[in-house]
Amino acid sequence: YNQETHPDFLWLPTQAYGGNPNIDMAKIRELLALSRQTDEPEPTDDVELRTFTDEPSAGIAIPDNDEVGVSRTLTVEDDIEIASLKVSVEITHTYVGDLKVVLAKGDVRVPLHERTGAGADDLIKTFTVTDFNGASTKGDWELIVSDHAARDEGKLVKWSLLVGTGVSIEAPAARSFS
C-alpha cells in the first residue's frame, strides 16, 4: 500500500506476540505514524489564500427528484492565477445520497459529489479541485446541485471558492511499502 491507497483504518495489536511471521511490526508502526498525519498540506508563506462566497439570503431550494437541479453563479472579477483550489459547500438535505454536485467554469465541469453518503443528513464539505490549477479566477463559476431520487429535500445554503495563489500547495508525496 501507499499513502494514496491505504485503508481508512488500521488495526494495531497492543502487543506483538510473534504469532504471525508475515507481519513486519516496523512497517505497521510506520503506517500508524502516517495515519496520524493530516491530509491537508500546510500553505507556505508564498501562498495567499483568497475566498469568494455565494450565500443566498434564504438558501435555494433543491428541486426534489429533478436531474436539472438548481444552479448558482458566482462572478469573480479578480484575475488571479490559481495555484490551488478548494470548493466549500453547505447543503442541507435529508439524504445526501440523492445529490450530485458539479462545479463548472466555461466548458469545464468537475463533479464534486456523486450520490455518495447514503442516508446521511447535510453535505457540509470542502473538496480539492485540481482541474483549474494555472487558470484564472476571473469569470463566472457555477455550482449545480441536483437531487436524483424522490422524497428527501434540501437547500443550497452557501458555497465558496478558496483560492491559493502564488506557489502551489502540494500534498506530501505518496510513499510505497514493500
Side-chain angles (χ1 to χ4, degrees):
Y1 290 117
N2 66 39
Q3 195 167 357
E4 298 296 316
T5 61
H6 68 278
D8 289 338
F9 66 93
L10 174 64
W11 176 81
L12 183 64
T14 56
Q15 296 179 349
Y17 292 106
N20 187 338
N22 298 318
I23 294 179
D24 181 342
M25 287 305 291
K27 287 184 181 179
I28 298 296
R29 286 186 184 97
E30 186 176 0
L31 280 171
L32 178 62
L34 285 171
S35 74
R36 292 178 175 155
Q37 293 177 357
T38 178
D39 290 339
E40 295 298 320
E42 293 294 323
T44 66
D45 291 338
D46 297 336
V47 174
E48 178 186 348
L49 297 176
R50 300 280 307 271
T51 303
F52 303 94
T53 301
D54 175 43
E55 187 171 6
S57 59
I60 302 296
I62 302 163
D64 190 32
N65 199 21
D66 179 354
E67 291 185 14
V68 174
V70 64
S71 67
R72 289 288 298 180
T73 300
L74 175 60
T75 301
V76 176
E77 298 296 332
D78 299 340
D79 187 5
I80 301 167
E81 183 178 338
I82 299 169
S84 64
L85 177 66
K86 294 182 185 286
V87 179
S88 177
V89 299
E90 183 177 336
I91 299 170
T92 59
H93 199 277
T94 54
Y95 197 97
V96 298
D98 291 355
L99 299 177
K100 286 188 179 181
V101 180
V102 175
L103 177 69
K105 182 175 189 265
D107 294 335
V108 180
R109 295 173 62 88
V110 179
L112 303 177
H113 177 85
E114 292 207 51
R115 300 189 70 184
T116 60
D121 288 345
D122 304 332
L123 183 62
I124 300 169
K125 188 171 180 179
T126 300
F127 303 91
T128 299
V129 179
T130 59
D131 301 66
F132 298 100
N133 288 359
S136 173
T137 56
K138 187 175 180 110
D140 290 337
W141 295 81
E142 184 179 23
L143 189 77
I144 304 142
V145 183
S146 54
D147 182 323
H148 295 260
R151 291 188 292 186
D152 294 282
E153 298 177 345
K155 288 184 178 184
L156 170 59
V157 177
K158 73 177 177 178
W159 68 284
S160 300
L161 299 173
L162 298 95
V163 180
T165 67
V167 178
S168 178
I169 300 173
E170 295 293 331
R175 297 185 59 192
S176 294
F177 299 94
S178 50

